[in-house]
Amino acid sequence: MRVGSFVLAARFPGQGEGEALHRAVRSAEVAEESGLDTVWLAEHHFVPYGTCPSAVTLAAMLLGRTRRLRVGTAVSVLPTAHPVALGEQAALLHVASGGRFSLGLGRGGPWVDLEVFGAGLEAYEKGFPEALDLLLRWLREPSVGADGERYRFREVPVVPRPSEALTEAGGPEVVVACTSPASVRLAAERGLPMLLGMHVGDEEKAEMVALWRRHARASGRTSAEIEGAAHVSAGVCQIADRRPDAAETLLKAMPGWLKQGLDAHVTVDGRERRMRDPLAYTELLCGLHPVGTPRLCADRLAATSERTGISRFALLVEGSGDLAATEENVRRLGAEVLPQLT
């Protein structure tokens, strides 16, 4: 089982952006010290929900500060980036880090980001498959040209080209955030593992994995590819000596962050938004994920793995909003939970 942290660089009420980013960097450094497998970095624009606007930039910094830890994006929002530019960055990080970089990709949402970056709503609603396929070609081929609906250019060499000596695939791992049957199918047809969100429980994740396998098989993927797909389950982790204390830590801090962060999202076309109740959502997360004693947390992770077939986890560890508490949470995850999972 491979357990990592999920870092949003969340800005809690009353905090500055520098404080949020410092906590994000420190939690990643402590994750390596504590034996965690991966740090997954979120990306958001113009909202305090997450203060990291470029996951690949922060990934580069953390890869330079660590020696063993894998660093991934969760996710880089493809509709707001040129796939070749993102592919170049991913290739660079992959080669320079010795293969420690994972590129997580997603569609994002219908936010004002699409207007600011000039992508337009169509890039979000229809353009993701074309952009994804172009990016995958960039990571796998020696030269690439394009003649699609959105991207058209003459063939150019891929520099730097991901070295086949680093990984069997010849390039950085690519993971796709999936929230719908359509995105599951898109990932499965390309043989790409899924990143499944923390808002859904084991039952729904198991159904999505089963659907992925059906689509992968139908598209001609081999049994080895299907069985070896390393999907990632996102969740929340808060450790305490008593479960009520762990839940109380999150219930005190997370609703305020969720409210100010989610309220700040602005749609690009004025469409109505459906918002979760922050307190109810926090309570849901406490019930779904490893929140409690080290033994409970280990049991919850093992149960999720058994139910879903997923053996990789990206756990939000900064739910307290406090630097010292976050560091302690990560250290306890490494020292008291991970040994129970081997």
Side-chain angles (χ1 to χ4, degrees):
M1 196 174 297
R2 296 161 60 185
V3 178
S5 63
F6 179 32
V7 176
L8 279 83
R11 179 159 65 85
F12 287 73
Q15 293 182 351
E17 294 163 357
E19 182 177 354
L21 289 168
H22 176 64
R23 188 178 64 247
V25 172
R26 277 298 299 148
S27 70
E29 292 172 336
V30 174
E32 173 160 85
E33 297 168 6
S34 302
L36 271 65
D37 176 79
T38 308
V39 168
W40 297 93
L41 306 172
E43 176 176 295
H44 296 88
H45 298 283
F46 323 127
V47 293
Y49 182 77
T51 57
C52 172
S54 174
V56 291
T57 302
L58 186 55
M61 176 185 179
L62 295 180
L63 286 166
R65 289 198 176 200
T66 56
R67 293 296 176 264
R68 175 197 57 80
L69 193 72
R70 174 166 288 275
V71 180
T73 61
V75 293
S76 294
V77 182
L78 191 50
T80 59
H82 194 292
V84 170
L86 186 56
E88 287 184 322
Q89 292 171 306
L92 177 62
L93 294 183
H94 173 71
V95 174
S97 69
R100 289 193 291 129
F101 177 69
S102 293
L103 179 62
L105 299 169
R107 278 205 316 153
W111 311 126
V112 70
D113 314 9
L114 298 166
E115 175 185 316
V116 174
F117 294 110
L121 191 59
E122 188 171 346
Y124 163 74
E125 294 183 332
K126 300 179 181 179
F128 188 71
E130 179 188 348
L132 175 61
D133 288 338
L134 175 55
L135 189 150
L136 291 175
R137 289 178 56 211
W138 190 267
L139 295 177
R140 296 170 178 172
E141 300 176 10
S143 60
V144 175
D147 188 25
E149 291 186 15
R150 183 176 179 84
Y151 301 103
R152 297 184 180 185
F153 54 86
R154 71 188 71 181
E155 188 165 315
V156 293
V158 174
V159 180
R161 186 183 178 193
S163 170
E164 295 186 7
L166 293 174
T167 65
E168 292 182 5
E173 174 189 37
V174 177
V175 179
V176 177
C178 294
T179 58
S180 68
S183 57
V184 172
R185 179 172 183 171
L186 180 141
E189 289 176 343
R190 291 154 180 81
L192 300 175
M194 300 182 292
L195 171 67
L196 301 180
M198 61 185 181
H199 61 288
V200 293
D202 292 352
E203 190 69 27
E204 187 170 344
K205 287 178 179 177
E207 292 173 356
M208 295 175 80
V209 170
L211 179 62
W212 186 95
R213 289 177 173 173
R214 290 197 296 272
H215 284 308
R217 191 173 296 109
S219 64
R221 294 290 164 182
T222 67
S223 297
E225 286 180 292
I226 294 171
E227 295 303 319
H231 305 300
V232 183
S233 174
V236 172
C237 180
Q238 188 65 39
I239 302 169
D241 293 333
R242 298 171 60 250
R243 187 188 185 283
D245 294 338
E248 182 180 9
T249 295
L250 299 184
L251 290 168
K252 281 184 175 179
M254 286 185 65
W257 158 59
L258 289 168
K259 179 172 176 52
Q260 78 166 9
L262 297 176
D263 279 351
H265 282 84
V266 176
T267 58
V268 68
D269 56 358
R271 70 180 66 182
E272 185 178 353
R273 300 167 55 216
R274 296 179 60 186
M275 299 294 296
R276 291 178 178 268
D277 175 81
L279 179 59
Y281 186 37
T282 304
E283 291 173 338
L284 172 69
L285 295 175
C286 288
L288 291 177
H289 301 300
V291 175
T293 65
R295 177 73 261 176
L296 184 152
C297 291
D299 289 345
R300 184 64 55 85
L301 290 170
T304 295
S305 182
E306 181 178 358
R307 177 68 187 88
T308 65
I310 298 173
S311 59
R312 287 205 293 176
F313 294 88
L315 302 176
L316 178 71
V317 292
E318 60 185 317
S320 66
D322 178 78
L323 174 59
T326 297
E327 290 190 18
E328 180 186 10
N329 199 35
V330 175
R331 294 189 192 282
R332 294 194 70 174
L333 178 59
E336 301 177 46
V337 177
L338 294 190
Q340 301 187 58
L341 298 173
T342 57

